[in-house]
Structures are given as C-alpha cells and as structure tokens.
C-alpha cells in the first residue's frame, strides 16, 4: 500500500508530513503483498508455501484491512510491491565455522586496516552521492514547478483565469500520472516515502527490491514529478529512502544486473556492515533534505534505527557532514545562474535567518495550549490515516487501472482546491511599509500567497513561507491560527506561533522530539527558540501517546512488517519459549546424504537447520551447530561431495573461499530448483562440519518468552536454538525465529492471553470512536 502518488513523500522535520501519511494522497502505486513464510527457522510455524491458496490470501487481506487478530494459520502480511513473496530476516550474527575461522586467521594487519579504511570511504561515497541526489531532486523540482508557476502566473496577471486553471490542472495531472506510471509499472517498491521499509530493514526485515538500482532511479525521478505536481508531498521522505538505496548498493559492491560493480566494494558481504551503511544513508537523506547534518544523525538514531553504538555515531556524523559540504558546493555553483530557476523558491533548500525572538513567563500558557491541541490533532490525524489507508487498499486491490484512476482523481481534486479555495478569501492591500515584494500572484495559483497582508516578511513565518511546499502550510497555519486567536494573551509574534505550531503537529503525529527540535534550530539559526520548541515537543508527544502510536509505527503495522518492538509485553512473561515453538523440527546429520538435503530444501522454505552428530561421531546425539540454507545451496552448487558417510580428511578452505558464502544483495536468494544433480550425485554425501556455525545462540526451553525476545532483538538474531532442560531428550527441541515473537502467532496459539495484552496508558481506540 503505497500511501503516496509515486515515490514522493515528506518526512519529519519542520516541513511536511511523509507521503505515506499525506492526507490528500491515496495509495496509487502497485502493491506487493509479501508473506512471512517463516523461512528463518527449521521449527517455525505456519505458512511454508510462499504463494498460498486463495482462502489464505483472503484471510491475509482481512487481517490487513480489518486489523483483526488472525490465528497462526496465516502468516504475516507485508506490502512492498506487486505479488506475494517471502519476507526474510537479516543475518546480523557472525557465522563462526571452520571456513570463517581459517579466513580470519589468514588476515594480516594490512587487511584489517584496509577494511576500516573502506568503511570510512564508503561513508564518504554515501554522503557525496546522497547530496548529489538531493541536489538533482531540488534542481528538478524548482525548474519543473517553477516553469509551471511562471506560465500560470502570467495568465493570472493577464486575468485569463480559465486558461490559467487549465494549465495548472493538466500540468499537475500529467506530472502525477508520470510518477504513478513509473511506480506502478517499473518499480513498485519505490512507492511511498520509503521510511517504513527502511525502518523495517534496520529492524532486521529483508524485503525484495526495496534497495535495488531500479528503485533508486524511479525514486528520484518520480519524486521530482510528484512534488512538482502540487500534491501535498515533499522530498524529505524519498531522500531517506534514496540515501538507504545508495548505501545498500555500495555495500553489496554495486549492481551486477546493470554491470555497475567494483571489486574493492565487495568487502562488506554481510548484513552487519550493510545495516550500518543503510543507517548512515538514512541520516544522510535528512541532511540532504534540510541541510541539517546533526538532525540527520539524530533522526537515524531516534526514528529508524533499532540498534545503535558509538562507532556508528561517528560514521553517521561524518556522512551527514559530507552531505552538507557537497550540497554547499553544488549550491554555490548554481548561484552563478547556471541552474535555471534553482534557488528561486526556497523549497527545502532553506537559506534563512530569523529575527530576534523574545518571550516571557506570561507567554507559557498560550504555548502550552498550542502544544496540547497539537498533540490531540496529531493523534487524531493518525486515527483517520489508519481508516483512509485501509480504504485505499480496497481500491488498490482492484488492479492497476483503479490505481491510475485514483491517482488522477486525487490530482484533479487537489488542483481544483488549490486554485479555487483562494477565491473564497478576500484579498487585502499589501502593507505600504513592506520591504519585500508582496507575496501574491493575482488571486490564485498554487502559491498559497493569496492574502497579501497575511505575512510580514520581517517576521519568523517568512522562514517557511518562502517554500513552495504545500504541507508546510498545513503545519504552520495551525500555529498561526492559534496565535491569532490567543495572541492578545501573549507577546509572541505570529510567525513564532507558526513555527511552534508545526513542531506541535509533528510531535503529535510522528512523536519525534530531538531530531525535529534540531531541524528547526538548524533551519532558523536561532538558539533562543530552543526552550519553547523543547517544551512544545515534549507536551505534544506526551498528549498524543495517550491516544495511539506514532505514524511510522502505524505504517509499519499497516504494511505488515514483522517488526520487533524494543519492549516485551507482559503476557510474554507468562509463557516460556517452549510454548511458542512449533514443529516439526528439521535437522541434518554431520555427514548427510545429498538426496536428503535436496528433498528437505525443496519441501521446506526454512533458512536454518540444526546439525546433530550421532554415533559413531559422538557417544550420544549431540548438537554440533547450525547450518544455513544459503550455505547448503553453495555446497550443492560446487558439488564437493564424498562417496561414503565417513569424515572427510580434505581441507574445506582449499575448495571454498569466504566469497563463496558472501551474502547477496537485499531480497536476492538462490533457489534449489536452479541446481541440477544427477542420480549418482544424489546418493553421495556431504560433510557439513566445516560449514556449520558451531557457536549459535541458544536458550533453555524454560526461559520466559519476554527474556528471549530481548536477547533476540538486542543481538540482532535470525535463529535462536531452544535446548531441552534435561539431557535425556533430543539435543535441540526447536528454533525461535522472528515469526515466533509476533503477537499474531503467540496469541493465535494462546488466545486466552488476548485480554491481558499490554497497552500503554492511553484511551485506546474507543477514545476517538466514542467521540465521533
């Protein structure tokens, strides 16, 4: 469910809401309903068939649309693109097998130094390329939108209103449909702002095509078209996704499909290093959108990252600093007049300074009132957003034609409102003492400057008024309205109320505090505003938390990503891990027959299999470790088999290198169906000992589910082996995967716990339902 026309979206900050949550923008891009088919473990629960039958699909749609709890018979649903597909977890755990250990021992000091140098070099490349993408997006939007505005305004000045309206309407429609067609037919994963996908990825969820090169190109081009089409969307959200795409592509060594690869970039063929790069890329996106490097780091820390450490902080800060420097250099080039209309409208490339801000204790009650109502309105917005997006999904399910019609309808309605509503307001003469040009173009046009005296360019509101971003107006108008209503009780300027109002709504909807505060400060260059902005954000977030979740958590839930929260709900403490592990458990012997491995891989979609040594390799059945599905496929493809079930004396490091087991790009996986084996080869054996992770994380079956969740999330695991309490049983009784911690799975197995689910101190769904 792409919640925007094309890949555009606005992110947090002092400007617009994300495209995923834009109130007037439907889900018009193609849908990719992906199912968590529990491939992560050999003991995972339901849904091994990636396609599923029609009844299962209907159940999944009911789960998405109705928000009702489904039993464990259905899998998690995730909206990423155009079809049902497996959602897998990422491998953050180091695989310590014989091949890995031999490679690590062979590495010298020079290799280690080169590895760390490449980390910083990649951060530099991510920052520079993200800055270039932000520059191209701004350059494209200002020139495309600027040309449209010039033509429209010329007709307005000539009082050819009908002609101006038609130019405005059809240019917006053309741009909207261009972005929509690109998204629907070329890269469905580029739909929306992309922030929920980035947030889910950094939580450990791997979805197909979200960071591929095609998605990157469509994201940038579609963003330019969508933002230029006067929709209530902006560029900050797409730039976050763009930065993450650039980081992911660099981390995997480029794109083989488009023959854009580089060998020296292939040192990061693991999910741990790619996760760090994607985190830096997300922060670089915010830095590129607002030219606010510190806010970019804080956004990555506060909003999208699920795991943070001090070393990552330094690299993220370096990346965002590179963004700021490169952007400044590119903007200086454009100041020579070589970039068309670039820099004429401000947009997100703010170049502002604020006036003097002065306030007293008497001003606090109006500010607190502004913050309280901002929190209520923000949570109310999230409530209606949930309902609207479910309605959009019903329309999207009818096919691509309906998606295109929905996009066209929204574009036409938006253009009519933008052009027609100003006629309902009376113009006032421009102030005679105004030192700036009167902010008015005729009576209408998409300029939002139709009430001449409404803004004095000497006040703080002009910081945001110089932008052609529609949703900015929605945010700051709230604060200005409150300032006009209760301005007599305060000495604050209406422009300052506008800034505080935007912060209050952002805090109420997105629940971001530190990053929004720093964005405002970096844009205004005024530290005097800091206490008021902090007060407004704290109060608005606290009030909104009493009603519902923040908008990004809402979107992650709506898309169906199996997201692991940072806390364990109390009902999990009533269960042990043995209460949620389901079977049957698939295991392999230390030396296994090739035919059995092939049959097991074809029969299941599991990604991890316990390796158990039995006599004569051990006196009793003994857990040797865990072997991954991807590693088994490498062994079958290389066909290094042995003729008998006895231990092999050959050195595995002579036949395999670490590059053979390197992780492929995001969403790309080998298939057992692509490997051809003869009947004779199927009767042979393969020694799994050198390729088995001999130190997987394990828990005892009596451990509480809550404790296991904290371990699973904090370490970033994909598989967690469950061992028996006594030695008289099998050496391993199951595997915990991400799926086993999902509320739908746990409460499906134990429905009596449904009433004891933990809920925050909030009014809940009935608050708004009863009110309306």
């Amino acid at each position: 469910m792409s919640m925007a026309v094309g890949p555009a979206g606005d992110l947090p900050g002092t400007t617009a809401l994300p495209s995923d949550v834009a109130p007037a923008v439907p889900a018009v891009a193609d849908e990719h309903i992906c199912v968590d088919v529990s491939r992560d473990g050999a003991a995972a629960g339901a849904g091994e068939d990636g396609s599923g039958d029609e009844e299962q699909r209907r159940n999944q749609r009911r789960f998405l649309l109705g928000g009702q709890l489904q039993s464990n018979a259905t899998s998690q649903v995730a909206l990423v693109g155009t079809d049902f597909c497996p959602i897998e977890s990422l491998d953050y755990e180091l695989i310590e097998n014989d091949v890995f250990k031999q490679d690590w021992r062979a590495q010298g000091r020079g290799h280690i130094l080169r590895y760390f140098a490449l980390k910083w070099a990649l951060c530099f490349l991510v920052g520079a390329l993200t800055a270039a993408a932000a520059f191209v997006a701004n350059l494209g939007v200002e020139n495309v939108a600027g040309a449209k505005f010039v033509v429209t305004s010329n007709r307005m000045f000539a009082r050819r209103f009908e002609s101006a309206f038609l130019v405005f309407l059809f240019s917006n429609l053309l741009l909207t449909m261009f972005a929509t067609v690109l998204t629907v037919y070329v890269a469905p994963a580029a739909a929306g702002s992309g922030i929920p996908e980035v947030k889910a990825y950094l939580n450990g969820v791997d979805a197909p095509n979200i960071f591929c090169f095609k998605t990157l190109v469509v994201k940038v081009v579609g963003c330019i078209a969508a933002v230029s089409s006067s929709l209530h969307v902006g560029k900050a959200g797409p730039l976050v996704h763009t930065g993450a795409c650039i980081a992911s592509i660099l981390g995997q060594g480029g794109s083989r499909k488009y023959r854009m690869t580089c060998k020296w970039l292939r040192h990061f063929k693991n999910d741990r290093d790619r996760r760090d790069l994607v985190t830096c890329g997300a922060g670089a996106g915010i830095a590129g959108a607002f030219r606010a490097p510190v806010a970019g780091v804080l956004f990555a820390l506060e909003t999208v990252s699920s795991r943070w450490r001090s070393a990552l902080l330094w690299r993220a800060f370096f990346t965002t600093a590179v963004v700021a420097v490169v952007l400044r250099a590119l903007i200086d080039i454009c100041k020579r007049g070589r970039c068309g209309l670039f820099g004429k409208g401000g947009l997100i490339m703010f170049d502002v300074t604020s006036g003097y801000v002065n306030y007293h204790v008497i001003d606090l009650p109006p500010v607190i009132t502004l913050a309280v109502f901002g929190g209520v309105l923000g949570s109310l917005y999230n409530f209606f957003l949930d309902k609207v997006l479910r309605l959009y999904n019903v329309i999207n399910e009818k096919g691509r034609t309906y998606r295109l019609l929905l996009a066209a309808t929204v574009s036409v309605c938006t253009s009519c409102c933008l052009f027609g509503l100003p006629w309902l307001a009376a113009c006032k003469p421009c102030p005679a003492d105004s030192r700036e040009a009167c902010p008015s173009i005729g009576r209408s046009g998409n300029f939002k400057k139709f009430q001449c005296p409404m803004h004095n360019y000497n006040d703080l509101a002009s910081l945001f008024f110089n932008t052609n971003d529609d949703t900015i107006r929605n945010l700051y108008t709230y604060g200005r309205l409150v300032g006009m209503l209760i301005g007599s009780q305060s000495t604050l300027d209406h422009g300052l109320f506008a800034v505080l109002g935007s912060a209050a709504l952002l805090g109420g909807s997105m629940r971001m505090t530190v990053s929004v505060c720093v964005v405002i400060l970096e844009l205004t260059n005024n530290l005097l505003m800091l206490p008021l902005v902090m007060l407004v954000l704290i109060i608005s977030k606290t009030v909104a938390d009493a009603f519902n979740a923040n908008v990004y958590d809402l979107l992650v839930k709506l898309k169906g990503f199996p997201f692991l929260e940072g806390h364990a709900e109390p009902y999990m403490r009533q269960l042990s891990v043995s209460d949620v592990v389901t079977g049957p458990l698939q295991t392999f012997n230390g030396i296994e027959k090739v035919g059995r491995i092939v049959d097991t891989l074809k029969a299941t979609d599991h990604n991890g299999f316990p390796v158990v040594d039995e006599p004569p390799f051990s006196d009793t059945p003994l857990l040797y470790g865990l072997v991954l599905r991807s590693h088994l496929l490498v062994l079958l493809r290389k066909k290094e088999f042995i003729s008998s079930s006895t231990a092999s004396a050959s050195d595995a490091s002579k036949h395999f290198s670490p590059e053979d087991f390197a992780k492929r790009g995001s969403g790309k996986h080998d298939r057992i169906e692509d490997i051809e084996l003869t009947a004779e080869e199927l009767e042979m054996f393969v020694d799994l000992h050198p390729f088995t992770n001999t130190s997987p994380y394990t828990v005892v079956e009596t451990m509480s589910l809550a404790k296991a969740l904290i371990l699973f999330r904090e370490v970033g695991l994909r598989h967690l082996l469950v061992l028996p309490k006594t030695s008289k049983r099998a050496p391993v009784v199951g595997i915990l995967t991400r799926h086993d911690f999902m509320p739908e799975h746990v409460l499906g197995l134990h429905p009596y716990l449904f009433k004891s689910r933990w809920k925050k101190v909030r009014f809940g769904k009935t608050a708004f339902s009863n009110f309306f």
Side-chain angles (χ1 to χ4, degrees):
M1 152 188 348
S2 66
M3 292 77 165
V5 176
D10 253 323
L11 190 80
T14 56
T15 60
L17 295 175
S19 65
D20 284 326
V21 298
V25 184
V28 298
D30 222 346
E31 304 295 354
H32 196 160
I33 303 178
C34 298
V35 182
D36 178 1
V37 294
S38 304
R39 292 184 58 178
D40 291 334
E48 293 182 0
D49 184 2
S51 59
D53 55 19
E54 186 61 28
E55 179 62 27
Q56 183 179 8
R57 298 190 186 199
R58 285 196 295 267
N59 290 337
Q60 292 161 349
R61 291 190 181 106
R62 284 197 296 269
F63 172 82
L64 177 71
L65 298 176
Q68 300 177 357
L69 180 68
Q70 297 294 324
S71 68
N72 194 36
T74 59
S75 300
Q76 294 287 334
V77 178
L79 297 172
V80 183
T82 57
D83 199 4
F84 286 92
C85 68
I87 292 292
E88 298 187 2
S89 296
L90 298 172
D91 293 315
Y92 293 149
E93 180 184 2
L94 288 177
I95 306 301
E96 296 183 344
N97 53 34
D98 291 348
V99 175
F100 169 82
K101 293 176 182 178
Q102 180 64 27
D103 177 68
W104 185 257
R105 287 191 292 265
Q107 293 179 2
R109 182 178 180 182
H111 185 279
I112 296 176
L113 291 177
R114 184 166 59 253
Y115 171 75
F116 284 102
L118 283 176
K119 275 191 173 182
W120 288 95
L122 282 179
C123 288
F124 175 83
L125 288 176
V126 169
L129 293 177
T130 302
F135 176 77
V136 169
N138 280 277
L139 181 66
V141 169
E142 293 213 20
N143 279 280
V144 174
K148 178 185 66 176
F149 292 158
V150 168
V151 175
T152 303
S153 60
N154 288 340
R155 282 165 170 72
M156 293 294 294
F157 281 127
R159 307 192 66 82
R160 296 166 57 188
F161 300 125
E162 295 81 2
S163 175
F165 172 70
L166 292 177
V167 170
F168 184 68
L169 175 67
F170 285 105
S171 60
N172 288 340
L173 180 61
L174 179 63
L175 291 168
T176 300
M177 297 310 298
F178 176 70
T180 305
V181 169
L182 274 181
T183 306
V184 171
Y185 292 98
V186 180
S193 71
I195 296 174
E197 286 78 7
V198 174
K199 186 179 177 72
Y201 179 86
L202 295 178
N203 188 257
V205 179
D206 190 13
N209 300 322
I210 58 174
F211 296 142
C212 69
F213 183 75
K214 181 172 60 176
T215 300
L216 171 63
V217 174
V218 172
K219 197 75 176 184
V220 175
V221 176
C223 172
I224 295 173
V227 175
S228 302
S229 65
S230 300
L231 294 174
H232 284 66
V233 294
K235 299 182 296 295
L239 285 178
V240 172
H241 194 184
T242 298
C245 287
I246 293 173
S248 179
I249 292 173
L250 289 177
Q252 67 191 35
S255 175
R256 287 186 179 181
K257 181 178 180 181
Y258 299 98
R259 298 180 180 179
M260 300 172 59
T261 59
C262 186
K263 291 184 178 180
W264 66 274
L265 290 177
R266 298 177 186 174
H267 288 73
F268 302 92
K269 288 288 190 177
N270 63 83
D271 290 326
R272 293 168 62 89
D273 290 328
R274 291 179 187 173
R275 173 188 60 186
D276 291 348
L277 277 176
V278 170
T279 303
C280 294
I286 288 296
F290 300 104
R291 277 197 3 225
V294 177
V297 177
L298 294 176
F299 168 79
L301 169 63
E302 182 181 14
T303 305
V304 297
S305 179
S306 295
R307 189 173 183 271
W308 195 265
R309 61 185 191 278
S310 58
L312 180 59
L313 175 66
W314 280 103
R315 290 203 296 273
F317 184 73
F318 172 73
T319 306
T320 57
V322 171
V323 173
V325 173
V326 173
L327 273 179
R328 170 55 64 183
L330 293 174
I331 292 174
D332 287 342
I333 294 176
C334 278
K335 286 183 177 179
R336 303 171 187 172
R338 300 178 180 178
C339 300
L341 297 175
F342 182 80
K344 303 298 182 182
L347 292 173
I348 298 181
M349 290 291 189
F350 293 102
D351 238 336
V352 297
T353 55
S354 61
Y356 180 72
V357 176
N358 189 23
Y359 52 88
H360 307 281
V361 177
I362 193 176
D363 300 318
L364 293 183
V367 171
I368 294 175
T369 302
L370 176 77
V372 171
F373 281 100
V376 174
L377 292 176
S379 59
L380 186 65
Y381 172 81
N382 292 356
F383 171 78
F384 284 116
L385 171 70
D386 179 82
K387 307 303 179 184
V388 171
L389 294 183
R390 295 181 188 277
L391 175 62
Y392 286 163
N393 190 69
V394 174
I395 300 174
N396 289 335
E397 286 187 352
K398 297 181 181 296
R400 293 177 174 177
T401 302
Y402 284 87
R403 299 183 185 112
L404 298 177
L405 290 176
L406 183 58
T409 302
V410 170
S411 177
V412 171
C413 292
T414 303
S415 298
C416 292
C417 291
L418 293 176
F419 195 94
L421 289 179
W423 293 88
L424 302 179
C427 277
K428 301 178 181 179
C430 295
D433 58 347
S434 176
R435 289 176 290 180
E436 300 286 345
C438 182
S440 178
I441 302 293
R443 283 188 59 102
S444 187
N446 186 34
F447 297 88
K448 308 298 182 300
K449 302 174 182 178
F450 45 84
Q451 289 183 316
C452 305
M454 194 171 182
H455 299 281
N456 183 343
Y457 268 57
N458 295 322
D459 67 24
L460 201 58
S462 64
L463 300 178
F464 300 92
F465 200 73
N466 262 342
T467 72
N468 288 325
D469 195 308
D470 299 317
T471 317
I472 298 175
R473 203 69 63 248
N474 300 339
L475 297 177
Y476 104 89
T477 300
Y478 159 71
R480 189 175 185 86
L481 177 62
V482 174
M484 295 172 64
L485 294 177
I486 61 178
S488 59
Q489 308 297 323
S490 173
T491 62
L492 296 180
D493 185 90
H494 289 178
L496 180 57
F497 268 110
V499 177
L500 296 178
S502 65
L505 285 180
L506 288 169
S509 177
M510 301 179 185
R511 317 294 159 81
M512 296 189 308
T513 54
V514 180
S515 54
V516 170
C517 183
V518 175
V519 165
I520 293 178
L521 294 181
E522 289 190 280
L523 290 180
T524 60
N525 298 321
N526 195 327
L527 288 176
L528 295 176
M529 295 174 54
L530 179 61
L532 292 180
V533 174
M534 292 175 61
L535 178 65
V536 166
L537 287 170
I538 291 173
I539 294 177
S540 62
K541 181 184 184 302
T542 303
V543 171
D545 281 339
F547 293 94
N548 50 34
N550 69 74
V551 70
Y552 293 130
D553 288 345
L554 172 67
L555 292 172
V556 168
K557 182 179 179 181
L558 282 174
K559 286 175 173 286
F561 289 116
F563 189 88
L564 292 179
E565 298 290 348
H567 62 271
E569 299 194 14
Y571 70 79
M572 290 187 174
R573 301 193 179 278
Q574 304 178 37
L575 301 172
S576 62
V577 294
S578 60
D579 294 326
V580 298
V581 170
T582 56
L585 179 65
Q586 301 285 347
T587 63
F588 288 132
N589 296 319
I591 298 181
E592 187 59 78
K593 190 176 182 180
V594 174
R596 184 173 182 273
I597 295 178
V598 173
D599 292 340
T600 302
L601 294 181
K602 288 183 177 180
T604 69
D605 288 320
H606 303 322
N607 267 300
F609 301 88
V611 176
V612 178
D613 272 340
E614 297 183 352
F617 299 101
S618 62
D619 296 334
T620 59
L622 178 67
L623 175 65
Y624 186 80
L626 184 78
V627 64
L628 298 180
R629 180 189 188 92
S630 59
H631 292 183
L632 291 173
L633 293 175
V634 173
L635 298 179
L636 295 177
R637 193 186 312 110
K638 300 270 290 189
K639 300 183 179 181
E640 294 290 339
F641 305 142
I642 55 179
S643 57
S644 63
S645 59
T646 58
S648 175
S650 63
D651 187 359
S653 61
K654 296 181 179 180
H655 304 281
F656 297 90
S657 66
E659 286 74 19
D660 294 329
F661 302 97
K663 179 69 180 292
R664 298 186 62 186
S666 178
K668 300 176 182 178
H669 309 282
D670 294 325
R671 297 174 0 125
I672 183 62
E673 291 78 10
D674 298 331
I675 299 177
E676 297 182 359
L677 298 171
T678 65
E680 181 181 355
E681 291 172 336
L682 292 175
E683 296 299 323
M684 299 182 74
F685 296 84
V686 59
D687 189 355
L688 299 180
H689 292 101
F691 314 99
T692 300
N693 181 11
T694 57
S695 57
Y697 284 88
T698 60
V699 296
V700 69
E701 61 181 340
T702 55
M703 176 183 285
S704 70
L705 187 62
K707 193 173 182 180
L709 170 63
I710 299 302
L711 172 65
F712 193 94
R713 187 182 187 275
E714 292 300 319
V715 181
L717 299 178
R718 185 176 188 177
H719 310 97
L720 186 59
L721 299 184
V722 180
L723 305 184
K725 184 70 173 178
T726 63
S727 59
K728 297 180 180 180
R729 301 170 57 191
V732 57
V733 297
I735 299 180
L736 286 175
T737 66
R738 177 177 296 266
H739 172 78
D740 296 303
F741 296 103
M742 292 296 104
E744 294 76 24
H745 172 70
V746 177
L747 298 176
L749 293 175
H750 306 281
Y752 65 91
L753 295 172
F754 183 78
K755 294 184 178 180
S756 66
R757 283 192 304 169
W758 176 79
K759 294 182 178 179
K760 293 182 178 179
V761 182
R762 62 172 61 143
F763 301 122
K765 292 184 177 181
T766 57
F768 291 132
S769 301
N770 294 337
F771 182 79
F772 290 97

